[in-house]
Amino acid sequence: MLPHEPRCRRAAELVLADPTETHDIADLAREVGTLARTLSRLFSAETQLSFKSWCQRARIAAAIERLSVDATLSVKQLAADLGYASVPAFSHAFRQVTGKTPTEFSETK
C-alpha cells in the first residue's frame, strides 16, 4: 500500500526504486524535506506499518516478482541479490510476510 501524503509517498517511491538497498529513515527524511520522526509517524499513520516493516514488505514484494518471472532463480541467489545476510534470514522475513517459505511459494505458483 503506497502512502498518499506527498513526503511519505516520495520516500516510499525511493525505497521501491531500489528495495535491495538498506534505507535509513533519517537519510530519506532529509531527502524528502522532513524529520525522521515525522516520516516515521507518517508511515505508521498512512500504512499501519512501521517504516522498517514497510521496507521489509517492499523487499519481499521484489522477491515475489523475481520468483514469478524466473522459476530457476535459487533462494540463495535471491537472498543475496536482495541484500539479506543469509538464506535463513531471508526465508524468515519471507515467511513473516507471506506465510510461506520462498521454496513453498515457488512450488505453489
Side-chain angles (χ1 to χ4, degrees), residues 7 11 28 30 42 49 52 61 67 69-70 87 93 105 108:
R7 295 166 295 179
L28 280 174
R30 270 191 301 280
L42 287 170
L49 295 169
K52 183 178 178 180
L67 285 169
V69 170
D70 184 359
V87 171
F105 180 85
T108 60

Side-chain angles (χ1 to χ4, degrees), residues 15-29:
V15 170
L16 290 174
D18 187 5
T20 64
E21 181 70 32
T22 302
H23 296 277
D24 179 68
I25 194 165
D27 293 339
L28 280 174

Side-chain angles (χ1 to χ4, degrees), residues 29-96:
R30 270 191 301 280
E31 194 162 339
V32 301
T34 193
L35 300 172
R37 188 172 174 174
T38 301
L39 188 58
S40 177
R41 273 190 249 135
L42 287 170
F43 259 93
S44 292
E46 294 261 331
T47 67
Q48 280 65 61
L49 295 169
S50 68
F51 174 75
K52 183 178 178 180
S53 293
W54 193 90
C55 287
Q56 178 185 26
R57 286 177 181 253
R59 289 170 96 184
I60 298 304
I64 289 169
E65 183 177 335
R66 297 227 9 230
L67 285 169
S68 298
V69 170
D70 184 359
T72 64
L73 186 63
S74 75
V75 173
K76 182 178 181 178
Q77 184 61 53
L78 184 56
D81 290 350
L82 292 173
Y84 283 89
S86 67
V87 171
F90 170 63
S91 293
H92 177 73
F94 196 96
R95 176 172 255 162
Q96 280 186 313

